[in-house]
Amino acid sequence: MSNKLIDLRSDTVTKPSDEMRKFIASAPVGDDVYGEDPTVNSLEERVAELFGHEAALFCPTGSLANQLAIRMLVAPGEELLTETNSHIVRAELGAGAVFSGITTRTWLAERGLLRAEDALEIAKPDSGPYLVSTTAIAIENTHNFGGGTVQPIEEIKKLRNETQKLGIAMHLDGARIWNAHVASKVELKEYGNHFDTLSVCLSKGLGAPIGSLMISTKERVQKARQWRKRYGGGMRQVGIIAAAGHFALDNNVKFLNKDHERAKSIATAASKVSLKVIDPKNVDTNIVGLDLSSMAITAPELATQLKEFGILTGPLGSKYLRLVTHMDLTDADIEIVNKVLPDLLDRALKSK
Ligand SMILES: *Cc1c(COP(=O)(O)O)cnc(C)c1O
């Protein structure tokens, strides 16, 4: 056994490879606030084109890309609907309210899985002078806290159809849209087609150190560029970072399938102890969410035990432990996890 830690806390923990670093070192750069960084410009054009949209804006984080996007769709005092456990309402620290005066209502979905009717049931556009009007709906794909759930394209289409009749805009939080694309084989352009704005991350499974993009029409992206600067996100020779994004798109999408297989194998190993902890059928992509509510162990306790074996995991709730696979793991790492995790679960089950 090596001394190297097996880090399953997130797919954000990947480090730039030597090849990526070489590519970064040779990137042409300029002042991006003047629109003069050729590497940023080509990345923005490339990603917009990938999703069939007019324009894109390079951002330091996915949270900023999300916040700029929803700001373009929802006026102060108006309402954004989303699923209860989505990143936009749970993990961006109220930014929509703080920066944009956006109010939110949410619906709860098992594993975050989209059913168009859940969103439509609470959608209230054009609510007149006394009630809040819904102007946008945000969908997360894959759904992070739902356990890497891929949203069914049929439900997205149904929702798009109905919301277009109602005049409600749609935003995609596509931090892990690459995983959804690889798992479902739905084209990126098809995803792009159903949304007015999108955010995508290069810093998750694709292995870039930093970088996300907000994608939409030329007009919205132009406006979002001003707001990015206003928030202090105007960057200078940032082609240094955008180059990593190009490298990630060129080279790293192909590793995602492997991440998904490995997540499935971890889930399968854990499910042999108890299907209540995880059903491998529910592992769509690279996230394994263990439900410990039937076990005599909490997530922080199990995380501590795993750490003794050099395995780092994310206790995101008292009974919810998240394991995320990514391109910096090896087959040997997964073998260790698939031995240690079931052993510890088994011990917890027997001590109950
Ligand atoms: C990671 C993530 C983001 C963006 O996070 P940043 O840390 O701000 O880059 C947005 N949405 C989802 C679903 C995410 O998992």
Side-chain angles (χ1 to χ4, degrees):
M1 211 159 113
S2 73
N3 297 321
K4 189 193 108 197
L5 290 172
I6 302 169
D7 197 343
L8 302 174
R9 288 172 303 167
S10 177
D11 46 11
T12 57
V13 301
T14 52
K15 297 191 178 133
S17 62
D18 289 344
E19 293 75 28
M20 183 183 269
R21 285 167 189 266
K22 271 185 210 134
F23 195 75
I24 288 171
S26 65
V29 296
D31 191 326
D32 181 50
V33 171
Y34 297 154
E36 288 174 3
D37 190 303
T39 309
V40 173
N41 291 342
S42 61
L43 182 68
E44 289 176 342
E45 282 160 27
R46 177 181 187 177
V47 172
E49 158 76 24
L50 276 178
F51 289 89
H53 276 254
E54 286 175 1
L57 181 69
F58 190 55
C59 294
T61 66
S63 296
L64 183 59
N66 272 338
Q67 291 303 324
L68 290 172
I70 62 176
R71 166 149 219 139
M72 296 307 113
L73 301 179
V74 186
E78 292 176 352
E79 176 178 75
L80 174 79
L81 304 181
T82 191
E83 200 276 330
T84 307
N85 288 309
S86 59
H87 196 279
I88 282 187
V89 290
R90 278 203 68 204
E92 297 179 15
L93 303 170
V98 173
F99 297 142
S100 310
I102 293 173
T103 72
T104 47
R105 271 185 308 133
T106 59
W107 72 89
L108 176 64
E110 209 186 323
R111 300 198 299 121
L113 196 62
L114 175 67
R115 294 188 320 160
E117 61 192 76
D118 289 343
L120 292 168
E121 204 174 291
I122 62 168
K124 305 285 179 224
D126 305 322
S127 289
Y130 304 117
L131 300 170
V132 179
S133 292
T134 306
T135 40
I137 297 177
I139 302 301
E140 188 171 311
N141 196 14
T142 66
H143 196 297
N144 178 0
F145 297 133
T149 315
V150 176
Q151 306 297 4
I153 191 70
E154 288 312 317
E155 293 298 311
I156 293 175
K157 277 191 203 162
K158 204 192 293 175
L159 186 59
R160 179 60 162 176
N161 247 327
E162 295 304 314
T163 52
Q164 273 183 329
K165 289 182 215 156
L166 298 170
I168 296 174
M170 297 236 311
H171 170 66
L172 176 71
D173 179 349
R176 294 188 181 80
I177 194 63
W178 324 100
N179 298 80
H181 159 65
V182 165
S184 67
K185 303 194 169 66
V186 172
E187 292 301 323
L188 296 173
K189 277 204 173 66
E190 158 113 46
Y191 284 126
N193 186 30
H194 300 306
F195 293 91
D196 300 289
T197 55
L198 300 87
S199 69
V200 301
C201 291
L202 304 164
S203 55
K204 302 267 163 98
L206 293 190
I210 306 174
S212 296
L213 293 104
M214 176 256 179
I215 304 163
S216 191
T217 59
K218 270 198 183 120
E219 198 185 335
R220 285 200 197 97
V221 167
Q222 188 51 39
K223 223 168 118 196
R225 198 176 288 279
Q226 286 180 350
W227 278 99
R228 184 187 65 175
K229 184 73 168 69
R230 195 167 279 126
Y231 289 164
M235 300 172 288
R236 303 296 176 173
Q237 285 73 25
V238 75
I240 287 283
I241 290 166
H246 273 300
F247 184 92
L249 289 171
D250 286 340
N251 298 285
N252 294 350
V253 178
K254 64 171 180 282
F255 294 119
L256 295 177
N257 254 326
K258 187 97 192 160
D259 294 349
H260 299 176
E261 281 167 25
R262 286 170 165 172
K264 186 79 98 180
S265 92
I266 293 172
T268 303
S271 73
K272 297 212 165 109
V273 180
S274 167
L275 263 179
K276 285 187 196 149
V277 169
I278 181 87
D279 186 339
K281 273 208 312 287
N282 291 340
V283 176
D284 293 345
T285 55
N286 66 326
I287 299 178
V288 183
L290 302 181
D291 174 6
L292 302 173
S293 50
S294 65
M295 304 293 253
I297 193 167
T298 65
E301 284 163 358
L302 183 55
T304 302
Q305 292 182 9
L306 285 162
K307 198 173 171 188
E308 284 165 24
F309 292 88
I311 301 167
L312 304 182
T313 54
L316 298 184
S318 68
K319 289 283 188 176
Y320 183 77
L321 190 70
R322 191 184 70 167
L323 287 67
V324 187
T325 56
H326 53 75
M327 56 182 289
D328 282 4
L329 298 165
T330 65
D331 284 336
D333 292 338
I334 303 301
E335 254 175 63
I336 294 170
V337 174
N338 285 350
K339 192 176 165 334
V340 172
L341 176 64
D343 281 354
L344 294 177
L345 286 172
D346 200 42
R347 215 202 298 162
L349 194 68
K350 294 208 168 106
S351 67
K352 205 182 169 183

